[in-house]
Structures are given as C-alpha cells and as structure tokens.
Amino acid sequence: MASFPMAVCSSLVFFFLFLGFSEARDHLVGGKSDSWKVPSSESDSLNHWAEKSRFQVGDSLVWKFDASKDSVLQVTKRDYVTCNTSSPIETYTDGNTKVKLERSGPYYFISGAEGHCEKGQKLIVVVISEKHRPSMGVSPAPSPAEVEGPAVAPTSSAHANFKEGFLVAMGALVGFLLM
Ligand SMILES: *[C@@H]1O[C@H](CO)[C@@H](O)[C@H](O)[C@H]1NC(C)=O
C-alpha cells in the first residue's frame, strides 16, 4: 500500500507540470465577435471582461470587427488615458486581428474610430509573468496563519485565484495522505 501515496504524488507533479506549461490560448476580446464597439454601459466595458480573464505570456488577443468602420490601436499608457490616436505603437485595420502577448505587464488598446475611445472603447490587458507560478518543489502544507494572514495579499485577482486553487489542491493531497 505504500506505493499508493507515491502514485498520488506523482500524478500531482504531472498536474502542476501541466498547469505550468499549459498551452497558449487565444482570447476573443469581449468574449464574442461584435464586442469591439462603444460599450452601452459601464458593465458592458471591455475592461470588465478583461478583469475576469487570465492572460499569460504567449497567449494571443483576437479582435473581430468591421474593418471599414473601426480599427485597433496599441498605444502607450499616456495615449490610452488621453485617447490620443495620433502616434500608435501598432495599428491593426484588418478586422480579424490577432496580437500575440509576448511579455508580461500591461498592454493598452484604443479604437482608431473617431470619438470611440472617448466613449469608452478601450482595453487594458495585464499579462501575468510565468514567475507567478508556484514552484514545483513545495511540499509542506501551508499553515492556517499563512493562508489567512495579510502576507498573502494578492497582486492580481487572477494570481489570487490560481493561488487559491493551488492551496485547495495541496489541502486535498494532505487530507488524502492522512486518511
Ligand atoms: C498626441 O500625441 C502626439 C505625439 O505624441 C503629440 O504630439 C500630440 O500633442 C498629442 N495630442 C494631444 C491632444 O495630446
């Protein structure tokens, strides 16, 4: 029977390997194809959508829009805030736009259509770095103080969710081994 916990441990190792090197994903901006437009309300805004998504280095953003009416501009933070369309970093006009997220950190996008950015057609995507993955070597279960203490104040909600999932998985393992 001693080999049984070993089997559990090795499947857990594979589980975390899989999590760590999970495939790059395509994110359709707004979750549906006609989303690149002036939002009808605050809750409809693309940043609302972005906050609920988890973007990793290597993932791509995909926009579908009518190329005769709109475009996507990648801009600096300053130009994002002021809706300045005069000197974008990149301009995408093909209506079927794919942007690969090559680095961690924030990306700023605004609409190239006149007046649309001012009405809220803009998007910030924060890409999380691979450094945020929990290391594979950890085996001690976290103490309750570590879990609940202020020391684990999350830096982003995506990170927090991931950490929570990790702790749940570790807790399940410990519970299993004690059975
Ligand atoms: C927009 O950006 C350009 C280039 O950075 C700058 O010359 C121009 O003054 C800016 N316009 C506004 C309205 O801030």
Side-chain angles (χ1 to χ4, degrees):
M1 285 313 273
S3 65
F4 195 54
M6 274 304 290
V8 174
C9 285
S10 42
S11 35
L12 237 96
V13 166
F14 280 112
F15 178 57
F16 288 121
L17 266 177
F18 176 74
L19 273 185
F21 300 102
S22 57
E23 273 172 52
R25 296 191 333 170
D26 287 354
H27 302 267
L28 180 59
V29 170
K32 51 188 191 318
S33 57
D34 63 340
S35 297
W36 190 236
K37 61 186 180 192
V38 173
S40 54
S41 67
E42 177 59 33
S43 64
D44 192 34
S45 83
L46 289 166
N47 285 334
H48 212 78
W49 165 81
E51 280 161 19
K52 288 183 285 183
S53 307
R54 174 183 156 81
F55 305 98
Q56 280 185 293
V57 173
D59 288 359
S60 296
L61 294 173
V62 175
W63 281 262
K64 307 252 191 225
F65 57 90
D66 183 343
S68 67
K69 297 205 182 87
D70 215 329
S71 59
V72 176
L73 309 181
Q74 187 186 338
V75 296
T76 60
K77 180 178 184 180
R78 182 197 175 103
D79 287 348
Y80 173 90
V81 171
T82 58
C83 286
N84 188 338
T85 57
S86 66
S87 54
I89 299 165
E90 292 285 351
T91 303
Y92 303 97
T93 55
D94 62 0
N96 193 1
T97 295
K98 187 164 178 171
V99 175
K100 187 157 189 201
L101 304 168
E102 309 267 13
R103 54 152 178 88
S104 61
Y107 281 75
Y108 301 92
F109 300 97
I110 61 176
S111 167
E114 175 102 46
H116 282 202
C117 174
E118 288 83 350
K119 291 181 196 142
Q121 190 181 339
K122 52 190 349 196
L123 171 68
I124 304 177
V125 160
V126 180
V127 180
I128 48 181
S129 84
E130 307 219 3
K131 286 200 295 284
H132 286 239
R133 269 191 285 138
S135 76
M136 302 261 309
V138 288
S139 40
S143 72
E146 277 179 282
V147 178
E148 282 158 28
V152 290
T155 50
S156 78
S157 60
H159 183 200
N161 286 345
F162 187 74
K163 194 158 184 170
E164 201 171 283
F166 176 71
L167 293 180
V168 167
M170 288 309 289
L173 171 66
V174 170
F176 194 84
L177 293 179
L178 292 177
M179 260 165 41

